[in-house]
Amino acid sequence: MHSSFSDQLAGLDLSGFSIGPAPVSTNDFPVHDAVVQTLEAVWSDLFAMVSGTALEADAEDLGWAFVNMFHRSATRKSTAVDRATDEVRALLATADGSEIHTHELETQVERAQCAEGAMIALEEMREVAAALYLNEFGSSWKPVSSSRFNHSAMLTSALVEGREFVRARSEAKRRAAMPEGTPVIFAGGRTRHPNEQDALTFANNVWATLDKVHDRVPDMVLVHGGDTKGVDRLASSWAERRNIPQISFSLDMRLGARAGFKRNERMLSLDPRYVVAFPGNGVLERLVIEAKSRRITVVDRRGPLGTSPKRAAQDTD
């Protein structure tokens, strides 16, 4: 109907007026059930295809790239929203009340809303794919050099006023970057275990400890270093399984030997309720000392296989 109506108006002189696409709503994007069913089918077929072949060793890389495809698309849409929001801000600053200016503002707001709706839809697809990755490989999916924001709870496509859109966009970005809740720092290094049983016991202790802390802090936000090869990976996977928001503070390698200590400062600046400490290096030891000096409760699990060192000493005695 929209196309037919446009064709009928094509030959009329409407003083530059043009028929453009209508603003989008959530109904214009794939529904959640369809997204889940489709991505599950593609995922299943992909890994059935490589199973038993020479590419089976590369399965995790393929799975990571599958999730990253949606992440990159969502990131590009987020950039488009930022550009459109800047245009809205500029138009608001030069508002003169004219009909032309008002039309330009409305057009730019609609463009921003359309891009934001697409960004949220793509983020949903990424989260579905990331859940498949978690189930397949047992670890949380993490982008290489960017954050994994999720704006789904801050949909602003219903807004029509330019000023409201700019404020809502700023608030949505802030809330996505810093989830609401009580920060809990998790820290630990890379550990080696002599056998699979010890590794499993250690992993179970990590999850059991985090479950106990979560019982005490129902609104916890997990804060960690984002190391994909250390114990942070276990904590990140736990958080994703439990639907716990998380913030990762990666090392700033430009700082050299100071990088770890600077990360400690940044994490402690969030005023956490607890610091959960598993075995690590001297930087972690310094984090524990600094936390205690700030009267932050430390859940110490630096004993054998991620147990309490005090309990281990008592058992020895």
Side-chain angles (χ1 to χ4, degrees), residues 67-77 122 126 141:
V67 184
N68 194 55
M69 173 178 64
F70 298 107
H71 176 72
R72 290 184 62 189
S73 296
T75 301
R76 286 194 293 268
K77 285 297 180 182
L122 288 165
R126 180 201 61 202
W141 184 88

Side-chain angles (χ1 to χ4, degrees), residues 185-190 224-225 227 231-232 249-253 255-268 275-294 298 302:
I185 295 177
F186 178 91
R190 299 183 181 184
H224 57 83
D227 185 2
V231 70
D232 287 345
F249 284 83
S250 299
L251 290 173
D252 185 350
M253 304 312 295
L255 298 176
R258 295 176 49 244
F261 299 103
K262 185 63 177 178
R263 178 170 64 183
N264 288 351
E265 293 176 13
R266 293 169 63 198
M267 292 195 297
L268 289 172
V275 170
V276 181
F278 278 78
N281 56 18
V283 176
L284 183 141
E285 301 298 321
R286 188 63 198 175
L287 173 66
V288 171
I289 293 171
E290 184 63 24
K292 290 180 177 179
S293 71
R294 300 187 185 198
V298 175
R302 291 175 291 169

Side-chain angles (χ1 to χ4, degrees), residues 232-252:
D232 287 345
R233 186 173 185 176
L234 287 172
S236 182
S237 298
W238 172 87
E240 191 158 346
R241 290 285 192 190
R242 303 290 193 267
N243 293 318
I244 305 298
Q246 50 185 311
I247 305 172
S248 63
F249 284 83
S250 299
L251 290 173
D252 185 350

Side-chain angles (χ1 to χ4, degrees), residues 108-185:
Q108 202 60 245
V109 170
E110 289 180 3
R111 185 176 300 167
Q113 291 169 348
C114 289
E116 189 166 45
M119 175 193 70
I120 291 171
L122 288 165
E123 284 183 345
E124 179 186 15
M125 294 179 184
R126 180 201 61 202
E127 292 305 305
V128 171
L132 293 171
Y133 180 91
L134 177 64
N135 289 334
E136 185 78 29
F137 303 108
S139 60
S140 179
W141 184 88
K142 183 180 182 294
V144 172
S145 58
S146 60
S147 298
R148 181 178 159 185
F149 291 152
N150 189 356
H151 298 79
S152 60
M154 286 73 73
L155 181 64
T156 59
S157 61
L159 299 177
V160 293
E161 294 295 331
R163 296 180 192 278
E164 292 179 8
F165 179 85
V166 170
R167 285 199 297 268
R169 175 61 184 164
S170 176
E171 177 66 9
K173 291 187 69 175
R174 184 193 68 79
R175 292 180 61 187
M178 180 59 203
E180 295 181 358
T182 303
V184 172
I185 295 177

